[in-house]
């Protein structure tokens, strides 16, 4: 009989909530019309899309017209940043620990004539606001800082960053992919102009996401996908109706469950972390105070994380971003907050979900403790 799968890689993707799946199913087989068709069948499906858009907007404190549907956070990030190429200001400020989707897109913008400043962070993974202030120039167009880091879970002071940006007439984009569903996010309160999100990070389907575009900021984005202009003439392509319905339902569910989930997950994460830190030499990477409730990134000195993942067998954990998992290079995030190559290559991220149980936590504690001891013994 196969061993029970113990899934502790929820920052990479989450298990879909069955209620989300049930909400989506009719739009594969019964309500299958194109949402932009102008016959009654299409109009009825279009109404369901509109309802989902409203649910998403309400969830993040936005207006429905400010929600652009995309294939996911990576596309949303590309649209948000590349879509600003026509602006006369040509300076972007971001940080070294951003997701590769932001860093690679910023690199592309450098080839298009933009100047990009990559700010360092302190050992807790937090941005020095005085450094940001000193970096702002007259031609600074955009500040890109993620709301919560995908590897360490560290939460950035977006509200303070936005206040500083607004004083200087600078746009703010925050990648909220990891934060949505774990933190209460209100775009108006945080002062955000552009915000990508992705359904599969909070119990929704893969292949669907959205980009919030502030109406108040009067942002004009250049299209990256041309065609029918289905999404406010900014993003073309036949709408992924089942995915959109799933995204809306996922927002509805996590909104109702967030307080309960946060308390439950925090208790489990703290117990897991407390027990694993009993292993000699271990330490947490990044801020312990300012982070997501579900994430702990722990360094196990003297143990190679790739060998550890193989030895853990049925326990799924991560040694970096899922989007960078094809490489064996040390995490750019952990390197950026001061870890050595050896320390970064000895670190494991454990990320929990609402489906994680206390029994699973105990099994992981037992197995990780055993594996670390065995691997260290082999190295001696």
């Amino acid at each position: 009989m196969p061993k029970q799968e113990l899934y502790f890689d929820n920052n990479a993707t989450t298990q879909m909530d069955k209620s989300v799946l049930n909400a989506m199913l009719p739009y594969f087989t019964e309500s299958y019309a194109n949402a932009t068709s102008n016959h009654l069948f299409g109009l009825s499906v279009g109404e369901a899309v509109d309802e989902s858009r409203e649910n998403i907007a309400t969830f993040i404190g936005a207006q429905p017209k400010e929600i652009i549907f995309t294939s996911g956070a990576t596309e949303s990030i590309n649209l948000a940043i590349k879509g600003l190429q026509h602006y006369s200001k040509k300076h972007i400020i971001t940080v070294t620990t951003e997701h590769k989707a932001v860093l690679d897109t910023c690199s592309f913008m450098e080839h298009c004539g933009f100047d990009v400043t990559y700010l360092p962070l302190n050992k807790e993974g937090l941005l020095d606001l005085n450094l940001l202030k000193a970096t702002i120039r007259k031609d600074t167009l955009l500040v890109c800082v993620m709301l919560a880091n995908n590897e360490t879970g560290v939460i950035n002071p977006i509200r303070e960053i936005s206040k500083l940006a607004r004083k200087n007439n600078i746009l703010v984009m925050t990648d909220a992919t990891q934060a949505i569903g774990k933190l209460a996010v209100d775009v108006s309160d945080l002062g955000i102009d552009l915000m990508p999100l992705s359904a599969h990070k909070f119990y929704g389907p893969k292949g669907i996401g959205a980009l919030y575009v502030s109406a108040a900021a009067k942002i004009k984005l250049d299209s990256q996908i041309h065609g029918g202009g289905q999404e406010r003439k900014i993003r073309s392509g036949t709408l992924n109706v089942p995915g959109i319905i799933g995204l809306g339902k996922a927002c509805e569910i996590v909104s109702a469950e967030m307080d309960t989930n946060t308390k439950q997950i925090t208790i489990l994460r703290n117990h897991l972390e407390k027990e694993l830190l009993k292993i000699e030499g271990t330490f947490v990477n990044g801020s312990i105070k300012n982070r997501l409730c579900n994430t702990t990134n722990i360094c196990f000195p003297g143990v190679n994380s790739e060998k550890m993942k193989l030895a853990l067998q049925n326990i799924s954990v991560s040694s970096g971003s899922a989007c960078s998992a094809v490489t064996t290079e040390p995490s750019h995030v952990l390197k950026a907050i001061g870890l050595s190559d050896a320390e970064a290559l000895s670190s494991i991220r454990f990320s929990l979900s609402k489906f994680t149980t206390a029994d699973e936590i105990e099994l992981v504690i037992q197995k990780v403790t055993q594996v670390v001891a065995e691997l260290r013994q082999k190295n001696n």
Side-chain angles (χ1 to χ4, degrees), residues 47 49-69 187 210-215 231-232:
E47 287 179 0
V49 168
D50 290 341
E51 183 179 344
S52 188
R53 197 188 303 269
E54 289 179 12
N55 287 342
I56 298 159
T58 299
F59 181 52
I60 62 170
Q63 304 171 49
K65 67 179 181 180
E66 296 176 312
I67 303 299
I68 304 296
F69 290 121
V187 291
L211 174 65
Y212 159 77
V213 183
S214 169
E231 285 295 277
R232 287 177 48 199

Side-chain angles (χ1 to χ4, degrees), residues 115-322:
D115 187 13
V116 182
T117 301
Y118 300 89
L119 296 179
L121 302 183
N122 63 25
K123 64 180 182 179
E124 291 202 330
L126 296 168
L127 176 63
D128 182 343
L129 293 175
N130 290 323
L131 178 59
L132 172 61
K133 185 176 181 179
T135 308
I136 290 174
R137 308 184 328 204
K138 289 183 179 179
D139 65 336
T140 302
L141 170 65
L142 179 70
V143 172
C144 295
V145 181
M146 67 199 323
L147 185 47
N149 189 273
N150 51 302
E151 293 191 34
T152 62
V154 172
I155 301 168
N156 286 300
I158 298 301
R159 186 180 292 103
E160 289 74 15
I161 291 169
S162 296
K163 286 179 181 177
L164 183 58
R166 284 180 184 275
K167 288 180 181 178
N168 293 276
N169 197 30
I170 298 169
L171 297 174
V172 174
M173 188 200 87
T174 187
D175 175 8
T177 308
Q178 286 298 335
I180 296 291
K182 301 163 191 167
L183 294 176
V185 176
D186 185 304
V187 291
S188 298
D189 177 57
L190 293 175
I192 298 166
D193 299 303
L194 296 156
M195 187 178 79
L197 58 93
S198 195
H200 75 101
K201 301 293 188 179
F202 54 100
Y203 317 111
K206 297 175 182 66
I208 185 67
L211 174 65
Y212 159 77
V213 183
S214 169
K218 297 181 180 179
I219 301 167
K220 179 174 172 53
L221 293 177
D222 292 330
S223 298
Q224 301 304 304
I225 300 175
H226 300 89
Q230 285 86 344
E231 285 295 277
R232 287 177 48 199
K233 298 183 179 180
I234 295 174
R235 199 267 190 184
S236 298
T238 302
L239 295 180
N240 173 6
V241 175
I244 289 169
I245 300 302
L247 173 55
K249 187 66 175 179
C251 287
E252 180 185 320
I253 292 171
V254 294
S255 178
E257 296 180 348
M258 192 176 300
D259 288 346
T260 300
N261 289 344
T262 298
K263 291 175 184 176
Q264 171 187 313
I265 294 170
T266 301
I267 291 170
L268 294 176
R269 190 277 311 274
N270 288 349
H271 178 59
L272 171 67
E273 184 175 272
K274 178 183 176 182
E275 293 303 311
L276 293 183
L277 289 178
K278 290 179 180 178
I279 299 172
E280 185 180 356
T282 56
F283 59 87
V284 175
N285 297 318
S287 174
I288 293 177
K289 180 180 178 182
N290 300 295
R291 59 174 170 166
L292 297 173
C293 66
N294 79 315
T295 307
T296 181
N297 192 309
I298 300 177
C299 181
F300 300 88
V303 179
N304 180 276
S305 58
E306 293 303 312
K307 291 181 179 179
M308 184 171 170
K309 286 195 297 182
L310 289 174
L312 289 174
Q313 297 179 330
N314 62 313
I315 300 174
S316 298
V317 292
S318 171
S319 55
S321 167

